[in-house]
Each structure stands twice: as C-alpha cells, then as structure tokens.
Amino acid sequence: MAAKAETFEMDMLDGPTVAQVALRSASFRMATHKAGDDDQSGERQRKNEKKKGDDGGWPKGVYRGRTLSRADSYQAATDEPNLFLNPELDSPSKKRPFAYDNDSDEESVFLDAEEQRRAALRRPKRVRKPRHGTTKSKSGKRLEGLKKEIEVDFHTVELGVLVDRFQTDVVRGMDAAAARERLEQDGPNALTPPKVTPQWVKFLNAQFGDGFSLLLWLGAVLCFIAYTIQEVVAEEDEPPERDNLYLGSVLAGVVIITGFFSYFQESKSSKIMDSFKKMVPPTAMVIRSGKTVPIPAADLVVGDIVQVKFGDRIPGDIRILESSGLKVDNSSLTGESEPQSRIPDCTHTNPLETKNLAFFSTNALEGTAKGMIVQVGDLTVVGRIANLASGVDSGPTPISIEIAHFIHLISAVAIFLGVTFFIIAIALGYKWLDAVIFLIGIIVANVPEGLLATVTVCLTLTAKRMAAKQCLVRNLEAVETLGSTSCICSDKTGTLTQNRMTVAHMFYDMKLYEADTTEDQSQNTPDKASPTWWALAHVAGLCNRATFGEDQESDPILSRVCNGDASESALLKCIELSWGKVDVLRESNPKVVEIPFNSANKYQVSVHDQKTNPSYLLVMKGAPERIMDRCSKVMVRGKEEAMTPEIRAECDQACETLGGLGERVLGFCHLFLDPEKYPHGFNFDTDNVNFPMEDLCFVGLMSMVDPPRDAVPDAVKKCRTAGIKVIMVTGDYPVTAAAIARQVGIISEGSKTVEDIAKQENIPVASVNPKRARAAIIHGSSLRDMPEDKLDRILKTHAEIVFARTSPQQKLLIVEGCQRLGHVVAVTGDGVNDSPALKRADIGVAMGIAGSDVSKQAADMILMDDNFASIVTGVEEGRIIFDNLKKSIAYTLTSNIPEISPFLIFIIVSIPLPLGTITILFIDLGTDMVPAISLAYEQAESDIMMRKPRDSKKDRLVNQRLISLAYGQIGMIQAAAGFFTYFVIMAENGFLPNRLVGLRESWDDRDNQWVEDSYGQQWTYLTRKKLEYTCHTAFFVSIVVVQWADLIISKTRRNSLFQQGMRNHMLTFGLFFETALACIFSYTPGLGTGLRTYPLRGTWWVAAMPFSLAIFLYDEWRKWMLRRQPPGGFFERETYY
C-alpha cells in the first residue's frame, strides 16, 4: 500500500527518525520563527539564496515535484539515494533536499515557507559519510532503489493539495514564465540515456575479454618469445627454425578473426533506451496562461495541465481532472489486455491500480480527458522501468562459465605437463634455455587452436536451425542457455494464450452452452433454433461499437482486424460467424441514440429504429449484476417470463460458474418501446434520460476469454517431463490467471492451493501447512513487502505457481528469487513491463508479433510466432547443442595426445622429432575443423528430453571423465598408431627403434654429414631431414586415420552407432573432407618445400588402420557396458562424460 507522503514539517521528525535530525529540528523551528518575525531579515536571506544560484519554484517540502516524507528527510541527512526519485540525481549537477550555510559549520535553517521551498532544492556542501563497508556502490544502490515499489501520493491527496504543491491552476494552467523556469530547473521531459561503451572498448573486449581468446593470445606470445630466444642464441650461419613464428602467427590470426566475428555480433546488441525513446510522444496539448497550445512533449513540467484525446499517447504521468469516457491501453505496463477506463476519483491505494492516474507513453484508445502532469522523464513509471532495464544484467551465460572452466582445466594440464618436463629436461642435462623452449612448446601444444572457431560455428549453425523453427537468436550464447534452463517464468497474454478475446460460453433459456468458434460452424454447439438465441445475437450485434477493417471480406472472420476494444471485437466475430452479416443487421436497425459504457454505470445502452417494426428497440449490455438489477422479466424459449428469485439465483449461479473459469461475463437485455409513447421521430435525450432504463427483459449472458494456444498444454507437459518448472507471471487478475494455468497444465489436474485445502476442510487458511499444497496463486500485493527468504520458501515449496497482478519490479524479484535457488531462468514477455525481467533472466524471450520494441531489445531470443511451444523446441535444440559441443570437444581434444606425445618423447628419449609444428596446424585448423563442426548436426540421442536439466555444478561441458577418455584412453591409442607408423617408416629406411634412442643431437647437427643407420649406411643432413619430414607427414596421416574412428564414436555418448545410425550426412562429408585434405597436403607437388610434407606409400596409410578399428571396438564395448549397468555404475562414474 502506497504510504501517504507527509509534508516536510520539522516537528514531524520525532520518535523513530534519526536522533541527530530530530535534535536539529528545534534550531530549525527557532530560526523559522525568527525569520517570520523579521520580514527584512527574511527578504535579505531570500536575496542571498538567489545569489547562491537557487532558482526556486517549488512549494514547501517539495523535492522535484514531490512532497518530502520522513524517509526522504532521513535519506537526505545520511546521503542515501531517494528510492522514489531519478537515480541520476546523485550527479553533482542535481539538487539535494538540505542546504548548508557557507559561512559557518552549522547547517542553514529553514526560514519561512518560501525559504523552506528553496532550501529543499539545494544540494548540501557537507554530508555525513556512511561507515566503510556498510553501503553498496552508487550503481548498486540505484538499482536497489529502482527495484522498490512505487510509493507516491499523487492519486490519494486532495486536488487542492496538488495545486498548492505544484503552484498551478486547473483552469488557466501554469504561467508560461514559471513553466520555463521549472523546465530549466528540472530538465526536459525525456528519458536519460545510460552511459555508452565506446566502440574501441567493445572491440578490445571482443579481442581480449574472453578467456578462450586470452589463452590463444598467451600461446601466441609464448611462441614469439620462443622464436626470439632461438633467434638470439642462433649462430649466424644457422638461422633458427621458424616453426614457432608460424605457430604464433596462426594463433594470433585465429583469435583476431574470431574476435572480429564476436565484435560484429556484439554491435547488434540491445539498445533498450532507444526503444523507450520511441514511446515518447512528440507533442502535447497544454494549457499555459489560460491558452491551449501544442508544445513539444519534452517541454512539459510537473504542474502542467494537459488535454488528451483518443489516439494520443499520454505525455507524462498525469492525475485525471476531467474525463469523458477516456480509456487507455495499460497492457505494456500492467499486462491487462482490456482497455482501462480513467476517471477523476481515486479507486485504489496502489498507483498502478487506481483509475485516476494515466501513465507516460500509454495510448488513449477512446474518449477525452484533462489532467495534471505529476511526474516527468525518469521519474515516471516508464522512466523507472527504462532505467531498471538498462541497469540490470544477467551476468555470465552458462556456456561462458563452462568455457572458462574448460580453459582452467586445459591450462592446468598444460602448465603441469610443461613444468614437469622442464624439470625432466634439466635433470637430463639440457641447457636451461633449451628447457625453457621445451616448456613453452608443451604449453602451446596443449592449446586447441581450432576449438574457439569450432564452438562459434556450432552455435551459429544451431541459431540458424532455431530460426527455421520460429526462434530468432540475438545472442549466440543464448542458444545453449535455453537448453540449460530449469525454470521458465512465462507471461500469459499472447504467449500461453492467443492474445485474441473469443466468446467461450453463452447462457440463455436457462442453459449453458459452449460457443462454436469454428469458421464453418461445424460444432453447432448453441441451440440456434431458439428464438432467445436470435434475440441475444441481435443485442450483441447492435449494442456494439466494433467494426471490421476495410478490404477484409475474403479473410477468415477470426483473423480479421477489428476497430474497437477486445470484448466488443470478440462479440462482433462471434455474431458474424454464427448469425451472418452484422452490417446488414445494423443497416436494418440504425442506431438512434447511445449511452456509452462507463465505469460508474457499467453498462452500455442504445436505441435502434427497426425498419420492419413500428417500435423502437432498446438494447443494453454490461456487468451481469447491473443488467439483471434492471430486468423484471426474462426471455425463455422466445417468451417473456417474470424474473423470480429462483430464476435470478440460477442466473447468478451461471455467472459465478463462468467467472470461476476466468472468463469475462457480460449480461444482455432488451425492451421494445411502446410506439404510442415513443413514436417515430421521438427526441431521445441521453443527458436527462427520457426513455425506460428499468423493467427490461433479460436475454442471456455471454462470456469471453483469451483462449490458450492449442500447442501449449503439450509443451508444458514436455517441460515437466524434461524437469523444467513452469511459473506463470502475469499482470492479469488471479481468477483469470488460475483458470488459464489449469487449462494449459501449469496447475495440473488435482493440484490444490492452500485456499483449496482450507475450503475443503473448512479451516482457516493460516492453519494449513503450505507444504501440503502443490500449487500456489500469489497476488502481487502480497509481494510488495515480502522478504527474500519468504519468497524463496514459496518458490521452493510449491511445484506449481501463478503470480498475478505483478508489477515490473515484482517480476524482476521473482526472477532473482529463482536464480538464488540455483535455477537457470528463462523469462518470456512482450510488454514494456517485462523488460527488466527479460534483461535480468539468464535468457530473455520476447514475442515477435505482439512484443514491443523495448521487450525485443531486452531479450536474447525472439519467438517469431509468439508461441510458448516454440520455447520447448528451443530447449531441445539447446540441449542438443550442449551434448554436441561435448562431442566436438572430446573429438578435438583426443588428437592433443598424439600431437603432444611426439614432443615429449623427443625430449625424454632424444629421438628425431616424429611430428612437426606445421603438421600439427594441419590437424587443428585443417582436417579436424569440418568433422568437429559436423557433430553440431548430430540428432539427439533418444533420452534428450526425458532427462532433468543439467546440474551446472556436476554436468560440466568439459569434466574429468571427458579429459580421461580423450587423453587417457582414445588419445593413447591414437598416439600408439602414430608412433607405430613412425617406427615402421624409420625401420624401412634403416633406422631401427634402438638406433633412434639418443640420436637427436647428431640428427639435428647441420655439420654432421655422416650419421649412420642400423645397417651402417651414412645419411647427410638434407637426406635425414627429408626422411624426418616424411615421418611428420606419415604421423599426420595416421592421426587422420584414427580420427575417422574417433569421429564415428563421438556421434553418441551412450547409444551404439548401430542404434544412432549414420544419418548425419554432414559427418559423412567430414570424413571424406579430412581424408581429401590429408591427400592434398601429402601429394600436392611443391608443398614439400614450403610446408615440409612429402608423398607417402599406400602401405603407410594402412599402418594406423588396426588402431582405428581398435578405437571403434573399444568404445562400442564401453557404451555397451554403460547401457548394461544400472545408473551410477562404474562405467557411468568413470567414462560417461
């Protein structure tokens, strides 16, 4: 409940307020009385105030157009930010409530009312500093303030109080000069743009801000360092090998290219405030100095008297002074799909619920009104939402956390191996400089050069696939986030429902019928043979201001665009479907006079001239209780009968039943006017009503609802099966929200709330243990002052929850509550009110059709068909890509062992180098890239949507089991294949394995031209190197051969290849691609000089094939044991990654 702000009188600062402020109040009062007794002294002080730059213009106790409360006085004294004001007011250019005397250490005092007004606007020069460690940062405090509920008194205080407060006149408006002065003081009626990150900072962040990029940069720098060391120590006639230079350049090139890609992706990021600016109206009609003039909306100030009419956008938060049937569209702020009437009277203490406030940027749908501007710019409701949306952040995505974890693992392995072999090299007698080169080489060899590009391309491919399924991804990392989702906070209107009011039920002839909404009327549900039905159709068609848009005759009736509010449009479509041409009905019964619907009467009445009948027909619709109160008769089977208490009770019961279904119920009645009393041409008067409004004949009821989308119940069921909690968060009323929740399965059949249990057992609600209730329906009003621990308890206790009548701040708090419980939260929304929650969620999902620009800019993903079922498709795609990324990484990391082990054996055993740097690059950036990416096309294994959401603490993208399988099992077999091929080629050329041990120093000596093999043959340096490079090529080819099997086994983590099949044609292409690339590198003439690759004999390809077969058979056996054992068995614990 909004607390009524109190006028800033010093004698109110007693009791629980700050003691020091209370003590000061006495001196304030004394100075005030003294100044009041001495007019000259007061005048002097006022002149001094003007010299100090105070521009005045506000009444006593008002700060930026708002009465200061006790809370404000405390915040002013302690330099805390005011929760209800513009968060940007902490800047030095803004005003503060207290002023201090420049000439003394004592605070300046309030003098008279004018001085109090001025002093309330001045910034203090000395403020009491908070104790260290007790406060948050300024931005943090700002956000915490914005998360608080709006507490203002503009709607509750008397109009005269507002007039005095803002020094305005409801008839003549503000004085033009005073308005200009206030505009200079407060600034324009516009939203303050947030700080913009410079493009060069974004570019540098794309190049260096990612952990993966830093790892590659580190590798590149180490390569350049190693090459520099080699260059420095090399002899003049022996230039160093340039392998490290090439490798460093390639690493730098990879990270620069992917950085550019990330930068351009980021350049499309959200521009939320720009979307909010589009909502600001360009001009407004304002009364200034007694004249009504159009001015730019940005020039409006608090206290201005403005006029609005249908079609206008409200130019600020206004207090309604006069209204003539004004209705506004608050759906963007509150989620209410129905137009809301605005009247001068306060109807609720909550400013968002009351009917005498209209809010900045909402649209006036019909009627006219005059109002007083009470808030402008950032202080408006929309301004607070805009600042909240631009200030919150969802933090790192799950995939970025996983990649960071992966980098930590790889770095740990690389550093461990590097340091270990540095120590071994020193122990073996190597020079420390050589040992440093070895250390750098081992660390760089562990860097997966192609993996960053692989992950980016895999996410991009999945994003394209999701776009084909109506899910447009704005942030690549959001692709996987949706798959990690464990909780979905969904809006109701337009997401779970069709965002189209439809007639659902009819009640006439004392029977309840389900409406037939099919185009061909094939259901034939209502009894159309009854005369009462025709009477009901006449009233619904005639007492209706909605019309169809032009040039839509060929379109399906339910798809046509209507001019009019949602309820009347639903009635129009229903009658058009079931009765026929409504325009023909209206032409034959032209409207003579009408009393429009208003919130006071809650009915609409019109009189029609029946061309086929001498009597006029009066038709009325409205709230059922108001309609039945005016009826003394009821039509049953075409005959009028007396409205007895029994019939009235039966009608009330039908109304209650329909209302319990969450449907909006309207009553209908009519009366044929006596032609003698009301002859043709009678002058009907709607101001002084001169026709009957009582003793009417009740015809029936019609109820409307925004029906659920057909695919939603199945989608919710899939979410439950997948272990995803679905919470409805809506601005609609609890009854309607609960009814839709039960229809779509968010509240499952048989689930009971605390209220249901209390009613069933006839006990107080407070006596029911909340843990007994599976479901809960929480009203937004109960969230206003709810502590975090209680909200967390609700979210944890109840499996099925509906939050109704929630504000934007409450939606944000609900999301944060779910995140505190460890959920990965997806939020759907389409309105401005959803933008803070969309931004804060782990993944925000906006609606492509009905969604506002603001919600789309705040979201990570957009549903192009506005269908909740598309989210489930996205969840499945997200889970698939996470699994497939695991497979791609496992495939890529496996080749690290055959790449690193030659270098390690080269150091320890001192044999000629089996694999060179250039050929390592061929693998990482050549043959492995397309196969790794092809795994992104792999179909889901059978259990993808049957398992629970992944536990972010246990189910990591890269875990110890994956490292163990890739490095310790498959990688070892691949390394064995490479060394076998290496030793075969060396043996065929005369170097048996025992001769190779310890040969490295002589082998690499340029001056040694007579190295002998096992058979006594002498080899020159050039012939030795040609043989070495041939071994490099063969080792490279052997890795390609064993990677065939590795790619095939990476298709699944649990299923057999024979279960999964070879339906991934991109993977098949990948197999052929890497083989063709290996052939090109091996057999293309001229590459031997530049890339040091040499042609191989066909038999050398065969050497690695038995190892490839061994990999396939081993993994098939492992997966068979995995499926055979119960969950949690040895093979799952040790090998299931």
Side-chain angles (χ1 to χ4, degrees):
M1 178 176 175
K4 201 169 184 179
E6 300 165 357
T7 305
F8 196 150
E9 296 287 353
M10 287 298 121
D11 58 353
M12 302 173 91
L13 293 172
D14 55 0
T17 56
V18 180
Q20 190 171 357
V21 178
L23 289 173
R24 291 174 186 162
S25 64
S27 62
F28 286 169
R29 263 194 233 99
M30 290 172 62
T32 303
H33 289 307
K34 182 177 179 181
D37 294 337
D38 187 356
D39 291 338
Q40 291 182 349
S41 173
E43 184 63 28
R44 273 197 309 273
Q45 298 236 15
R46 281 190 287 274
K47 290 179 180 179
N48 289 337
E49 290 294 328
K50 290 185 178 180
K51 290 178 182 178
K52 293 176 184 177
D54 182 45
D55 47 7
W58 292 106
K60 176 176 72 174
V62 174
Y63 178 33
R64 288 277 291 179
R66 196 175 64 81
T67 301
L68 289 175
S69 65
R70 294 186 186 185
D72 299 324
S73 64
Y74 172 76
Q75 287 168 339
T78 58
D79 197 26
E80 290 290 329
N82 194 308
L83 301 182
F84 311 131
L85 302 180
N86 183 356
E88 298 296 328
L89 288 182
D90 284 330
S91 62
S93 63
K94 304 296 180 181
K95 309 297 183 186
R96 285 293 182 109
F98 282 94
Y100 291 86
D101 192 350
N102 290 336
D103 301 324
S104 70
D105 290 335
E106 296 296 322
E107 291 83 348
S108 68
V109 295
F110 289 123
L111 300 176
D112 54 14
E114 177 67 12
E115 287 303 323
Q116 291 183 21
R117 171 184 65 77
R118 296 180 186 279
L121 291 167
R122 295 173 53 203
R123 183 178 176 84
K125 293 193 176 182
R126 295 185 292 105
V127 294
R128 195 162 53 200
K129 297 292 183 183
R131 288 178 295 177
H132 177 69
T134 60
T135 60
K136 300 180 180 179
S137 65
K138 182 180 291 186
S139 60
K141 291 189 291 185
R142 172 188 175 223
L143 281 178
E144 289 303 314
L146 288 171
K147 290 178 185 177
K148 301 292 183 182
E149 289 298 317
I150 300 170
E151 296 189 22
V152 293
D153 66 345
F154 303 124
H155 57 303
T156 56
V157 300
E158 295 293 333
L159 181 58
V161 175
L162 283 184
V163 171
D164 292 340
R165 181 184 298 178
F166 298 134
Q167 294 184 337
T168 187
D169 188 298
V170 296
V171 177
R172 291 183 51 80
M174 286 196 65
D175 180 71
R180 284 194 298 272
E181 184 179 353
R182 193 168 291 179
L183 180 63
E184 293 177 2
Q185 173 181 289
D186 293 346
N189 175 29
L191 303 180
T192 305
K195 293 181 180 179
V196 178
T197 305
Q199 291 299 318
W200 65 269
V201 174
K202 290 183 179 180
F203 178 77
L204 291 179
N205 186 58
Q207 294 290 344
F208 302 100
D210 179 68
F212 220 148
S213 300
L214 288 177
L215 182 62
L216 294 181
W217 276 120
L218 176 63
V221 170
L222 290 176
C223 285
F224 294 139
I225 292 173
Y227 174 74
T228 303
I229 293 173
Q230 291 172 327
E231 181 77 27
V232 170
V233 301
E235 301 290 339
E236 290 186 6
D237 58 342
E238 293 185 10
E241 297 286 348
R242 296 191 174 185
D243 289 5
N244 283 318
L245 178 62
Y246 297 151
L247 180 57
S249 301
V250 169
L251 288 174
V254 168
V255 72
I256 289 172
I257 292 171
T258 53
F260 267 107
F261 184 85
S262 300
Y263 169 71
F264 287 117
Q265 190 72 19
E266 180 68 21
S267 65
K268 301 176 184 178
S269 63
S270 61
K271 299 177 180 178
I272 296 176
M273 197 60 72
D274 291 343
S275 301
F276 274 101
K277 288 178 180 178
K278 294 178 183 178
M279 301 169 60
V280 179
T283 60
M285 296 299 296
V286 63
I287 302 175
R288 292 268 178 92
S289 303
K291 296 180 180 178
T292 302
V293 293
I295 66 169
D299 292 344
L300 289 174
V301 297
V302 291
D304 263 330
I305 308 300
V306 295
Q307 295 179 345
V308 293
K309 65 181 186 305
F310 64 92
D312 288 349
R313 190 167 285 175
I314 306 300
D317 285 358
I318 66 175
R319 162 84 176 260
I320 301 297
L321 305 178
E322 300 173 5
S323 175
S324 178
L326 178 68
K327 286 187 178 182
V328 294
D329 178 11
N330 277 356
S331 59
S332 63
L333 293 181
T334 63
E336 295 165 306
S337 55
E338 284 291 309
Q340 303 296 304
S341 59
R342 301 289 96 172
I343 58 175
D345 301 325
C346 177
T347 59
H348 203 286
T349 54
N350 185 343
L352 292 176
E353 301 277 359
T354 188
K355 295 194 174 187
N356 65 339
L357 289 182
F359 301 109
F360 187 35
S361 80
T362 58
N363 292 315
L365 298 180
E366 59 181 81
T368 59
K370 184 168 79 170
M372 179 190 299
I373 299 287
V374 293
Q375 292 281 39
V376 294
D378 289 326
L379 302 185
T380 62
V381 173
V382 166
R384 288 170 56 89
I385 295 174
N387 281 286
L388 189 56
S390 61
V392 297
D393 185 19
S394 61
T397 61
I399 191 66
S400 65
I401 295 172
E402 292 303 319
I403 289 176
H405 175 256
F406 165 62
I407 291 168
H408 293 155
L409 280 177
I410 291 295
S411 301
V413 170
I415 293 171
F416 171 77
L417 290 175
V419 172
T420 300
F421 282 93
F422 173 82
I423 296 171
I424 292 174
I426 294 293
L428 290 174
Y430 286 97
K431 295 178 182 179
W432 72 269
L433 206 55
D434 289 336
V436 169
I437 298 296
F438 294 157
L439 168 68
I440 293 173
I442 291 173
I443 291 175
V444 171
N446 275 277
V447 175
E449 294 89 351
L451 200 54
L452 177 59
T454 299
V455 170
T456 303
V457 173
C458 287
L459 292 175
T460 303
L461 292 173
T462 305
K464 287 188 174 182
R465 196 159 60 238
M466 292 175 69
K469 298 180 180 180
Q470 304 299 318
C471 295
L472 179 63
V473 178
R474 299 184 66 250
N475 177 8
L476 273 186
E477 292 184 350
V479 170
E480 190 281 326
T481 306
L482 194 57
S484 303
T485 297
S486 58
C487 178
I488 299 176
C489 295
S490 177
D491 191 20
K492 176 184 71 70
T493 305
T495 308
L496 300 173
T497 65
Q498 300 176 20
N499 197 22
R500 183 184 68 196
M501 290 295 285
T502 305
V503 175
H505 292 92
M506 303 176 187
F507 175 79
Y508 58 91
D509 289 339
M510 312 313 292
K511 293 181 181 179
L512 188 62
Y513 297 95
E514 186 175 345
D516 183 357
T517 56
T518 58
E519 287 284 345
D520 59 0
Q521 294 292 283
S522 57
Q523 294 180 0
N524 198 26
T525 308
D527 181 9
K528 297 179 183 177
S530 171
T532 311
W533 154 247
W534 294 104
L536 180 61
H538 270 69
V539 178
L542 294 176
C543 193
N544 190 327
R545 305 173 76 180
T547 59
F548 288 116
E550 296 180 358
D551 301 326
Q552 298 186 91
E553 289 78 7
S554 59
D555 295 341
I557 294 173
L558 293 175
S559 302
R560 295 183 190 176
V561 177
C562 294
N563 304 316
D565 68 38
S567 296
E568 293 199 328
S569 298
L571 293 174
L572 174 63
K573 290 179 179 179
C574 175
I575 303 306
E576 184 78 10
L577 275 172
S578 55
W579 189 84
K581 295 284 186 179
V582 176
D583 54 351
V584 175
L585 172 67
R586 292 175 177 176
E587 288 174 5
S588 58
N589 297 271
K591 185 186 300 180
V592 178
V593 71
E594 180 184 49
I595 300 177
F597 181 91
N598 63 68
S599 57
N601 296 331
K602 293 188 177 181
Y603 63 75
Q604 174 184 345
V605 63
S606 58
V607 178
H608 297 262
D609 183 3
Q610 301 183 92
K611 294 184 177 181
T612 58
N613 194 309
S615 62
Y616 285 105
L617 174 63
L618 182 146
V619 291
M620 180 186 290
K621 78 169 188 290
E625 66 279 4
R626 297 294 180 93
I627 296 298
M628 286 187 279
D629 287 345
R630 295 178 177 274
C631 293
S632 59
K633 298 181 289 293
V634 60
M635 179 176 285
V636 179
R637 304 299 300 178
K639 297 180 180 179
E640 294 185 358
E641 299 181 5
M643 175 72 81
T644 63
E646 292 77 16
I647 292 179
R648 173 63 188 263
E650 197 171 340
C651 294
D652 288 340
Q653 180 61 43
C655 187
E656 184 177 342
T657 300
L658 295 174
L661 296 174
E663 299 175 6
R664 188 185 184 200
V665 187
L666 291 176
F668 299 84
C669 63
H670 69 193
L671 179 67
F672 292 96
L673 301 182
D674 187 346
E676 294 184 0
K677 293 183 179 180
Y678 306 96
H680 188 73
F682 182 82
N683 185 22
F684 292 96
D685 189 353
T686 56
D687 295 326
N688 299 308
V689 179
N690 58 354
F691 49 89
M693 298 287 286
E694 305 286 343
D695 294 329
L696 308 180
C697 178
F698 180 73
V699 178
L701 304 171
M702 296 178 79
S703 64
M704 286 148 288
V705 69
D706 184 5
R709 293 179 179 272
D710 295 336
V712 169
D714 285 340
V716 172
K717 187 176 180 180
K718 278 188 179 180
C719 286
R720 291 198 190 285
T721 305
I724 300 172
K725 186 174 187 175
V726 182
I727 298 174
M728 180 189 289
V729 184
T730 179
D732 216 333
Y733 290 94
V735 173
T736 305
I740 295 296
R742 292 186 186 279
Q743 290 180 49
V744 300
I746 291 178
I747 298 180
S748 54
E749 187 176 355
S751 293
K752 295 180 181 179
T753 64
V754 171
E755 292 78 11
D756 293 336
I757 296 173
K759 184 177 180 181
Q760 182 179 355
E761 299 180 2
N762 196 24
I763 58 175
V765 173
S767 302
V768 180
N769 185 351
K771 293 183 178 180
R772 295 178 57 195
R774 179 176 174 80
I777 300 171
I778 311 298
H779 196 286
S781 60
S782 62
L783 291 173
R784 290 177 66 86
D785 301 312
M786 184 179 290
E788 284 185 357
D789 58 340
K790 186 175 180 181
L791 176 59
D792 293 350
R793 196 159 55 247
I794 290 173
L795 292 170
K796 193 173 183 179
T797 301
H798 304 287
E800 302 168 351
I801 307 176
V802 173
F803 290 98
R805 300 304 286 170
T806 54
S807 67
Q809 290 86 351
Q810 290 165 356
K811 291 187 178 184
L812 180 60
L813 295 177
I814 292 166
V815 172
E816 291 178 339
C818 293
Q819 290 173 330
R820 282 195 301 272
L821 295 180
H823 287 294
V824 176
V825 184
V827 171
T828 70
D830 57 2
V832 175
N833 58 327
D834 299 316
S835 56
L838 287 170
K839 191 83 181 299
R840 184 66 180 88
D842 295 287
I843 176 168
V845 183
M847 303 297 111
I849 300 173
S852 63
D853 288 342
V854 174
S855 65
K856 292 175 186 177
Q857 290 291 348
D860 303 293
M861 182 180 295
I862 300 173
L863 299 183
M864 303 309 293
D865 58 356
D866 289 12
N867 195 343
F868 180 84
S870 298
I871 298 177
V872 180
T873 302
V875 170
E876 186 169 2
E877 290 290 346
R879 290 190 176 188
I880 291 172
I881 194 57
F882 186 79
D883 281 3
N884 288 346
L885 281 176
K886 273 178 173 275
K887 297 170 184 177
S888 291
I889 291 173
Y891 169 80
T892 304
L893 290 184
T894 302
S895 61
N896 268 14
I897 291 298
E899 291 172 359
I900 296 170
S901 55
F903 198 64
L904 302 181
I905 300 300
F906 169 73
I907 296 171
I908 298 172
V909 187
S910 194
I911 64 175
L913 186 64
L915 184 67
T917 302
I918 300 298
T919 43
I920 289 176
L921 292 178
F922 285 168
I923 298 167
D924 290 347
L925 299 176
T927 58
D928 271 1
M929 285 286 288
V930 172
I933 291 170
S934 72
L935 287 169
Y937 291 89
E938 193 61 37
Q939 294 299 312
E941 295 185 54
S942 57
D943 63 346
I944 191 74
M945 288 299 284
M946 297 297 291
R947 63 180 190 234
K948 302 299 180 186
R950 72 178 181 90
D951 186 338
S952 59
K953 296 180 180 179
K954 295 180 181 179
D955 189 6
R956 311 304 298 262
L957 181 65
V958 178
N959 52 30
Q960 293 176 347
R961 295 187 295 277
L962 188 148
I963 297 292
S964 171
L965 184 68
Y967 281 12
Q969 299 169 52
I970 308 300
M972 289 298 182
I973 301 174
Q974 291 193 350
F979 279 109
F980 178 75
T981 306
Y982 168 78
F983 286 122
V984 164
I985 295 175
M986 281 293 191
E988 287 186 6
N989 285 274
F991 290 93
L992 298 177
N994 61 340
R995 178 70 183 94
L996 294 174
V997 176
L999 189 61
R1000 183 185 69 85
E1001 190 171 350
S1002 300
W1003 185 279
D1004 290 334
D1005 187 356
R1006 289 176 180 267
D1007 297 328
N1008 191 343
Q1009 301 293 332
W1010 47 79
V1011 173
E1012 293 185 355
D1013 61 19
S1014 299
Y1015 302 101
Q1017 300 177 94
Q1018 292 183 340
W1019 292 70
T1020 65
Y1021 178 78
L1022 290 179
T1023 55
R1024 293 197 306 269
K1025 284 298 173 182
K1026 183 176 179 180
L1027 176 59
E1028 179 185 327
Y1029 295 150
T1030 302
C1031 289
H1032 290 181
T1033 308
F1035 206 109
F1036 157 68
V1037 166
S1038 70
I1039 293 176
V1040 171
V1041 171
V1042 290
Q1043 283 289 73
W1044 293 344
D1046 188 26
L1047 181 61
I1048 291 172
I1049 69 172
S1050 296
K1051 283 171 59 68
T1052 63
R1053 294 191 296 153
R1054 180 184 292 270
N1055 290 349
S1056 167
L1057 172 67
F1058 303 102
Q1059 292 174 309
Q1060 188 78 354
M1062 289 291 291
R1063 290 181 289 272
N1064 183 352
H1065 301 304
M1066 279 300 299
L1067 186 140
T1068 306
F1069 170 76
L1071 288 171
F1072 284 101
F1073 175 84
E1074 65 176 335
T1075 307
L1077 204 57
C1079 292
I1080 292 171
F1081 288 151
S1082 300
Y1083 298 110
T1084 301
L1087 289 184
T1089 303
L1091 301 179
R1092 303 174 190 166
T1093 57
Y1094 287 85
L1096 302 178
R1097 297 178 190 170
T1099 55
W1100 293 344
W1101 283 74
V1102 179
M1105 289 185 180
F1107 295 89
S1108 186
L1109 179 62
I1111 289 173
F1112 175 75
L1113 294 177
Y1114 167 74
D1115 201 66
E1116 280 293 311
W1117 172 78
R1118 181 186 67 84
K1119 291 173 183 173
W1120 177 74
M1121 292 297 293
L1122 187 65
R1123 295 191 302 273
R1124 184 183 179 191
Q1125 289 186 346
F1130 173 81
F1131 278 86
E1132 182 170 304
R1133 292 196 314 271
E1134 300 299 326
T1135 70
Y1136 182 66
Y1137 61 89

